[in-house]
Amino acid sequence: MDEYTEVYFLDDDDVRNAPRRPSTDHRSPGRPGRVFVGSAPPVRPRPAVVARPAARVVEAQPQTYAPARSGVFSNVTTGQLVELASMVIAAIMPLPAAPVVQGEPKTDMTNQLAYTSALALHAKRDEQLRTVGALVGKLVG
């Protein structure tokens, strides 16, 4: 034999590991049980090379960063600022003017009912303003 001749003995009876499949076992040069005598095992045909289209080149856009905020409102988001603004507006809305006592029971009762209605309307507007501010604040972020 030649000095470059290699002999491969493949054993089918090796039960220590999982059974070898010739199509998936990359370590064995051929089918199990075959003996190759010669300069090298037979060469398997290589699969055909499939050309892929060239990758599309995308230019990197420079990233812009917002300037760092500092101060009292540094950790407050825009949505939280909208909610705070709606609360401040609702807090500074003036209450309706209280009725002046006239001394006549019928007039005083009518004025009291009008004042109670005005207070209810004020409370309703206040709550509407706060709710709209909270919703817009959640949408903005």
Side-chain angles (χ1 to χ4, degrees), residues 31-131:
R31 294 185 190 154
R34 290 182 64 186
V35 176
F36 297 105
V37 177
S39 61
V43 178
R44 294 183 185 169
R46 300 185 126 214
V49 177
V50 178
R52 294 184 181 175
R56 192 174 70 161
V57 177
V58 178
E59 292 184 22
Q61 298 293 328
Q63 291 184 346
T64 57
Y65 297 100
R69 294 189 286 179
S70 62
V72 178
F73 297 111
S74 62
N75 294 331
V76 180
T77 64
T78 307
Q80 290 172 336
L81 285 175
V82 169
E83 288 183 52
L84 287 172
S86 68
M87 284 188 226
V88 167
I89 292 171
I92 61 172
M93 284 179 25
L95 288 170
V100 179
V101 177
Q102 299 293 325
E104 293 183 30
K106 186 175 182 180
T107 306
D108 289 342
M109 185 58 85
T110 305
N111 289 344
Q112 185 63 35
L113 288 173
Y115 179 68
T116 305
S117 294
L119 281 177
L121 182 63
H122 173 78
K124 181 179 176 182
R125 294 293 160 107
D126 182 64
E127 193 60 32
Q128 285 175 339
L129 183 60
R130 290 177 193 261
T131 303

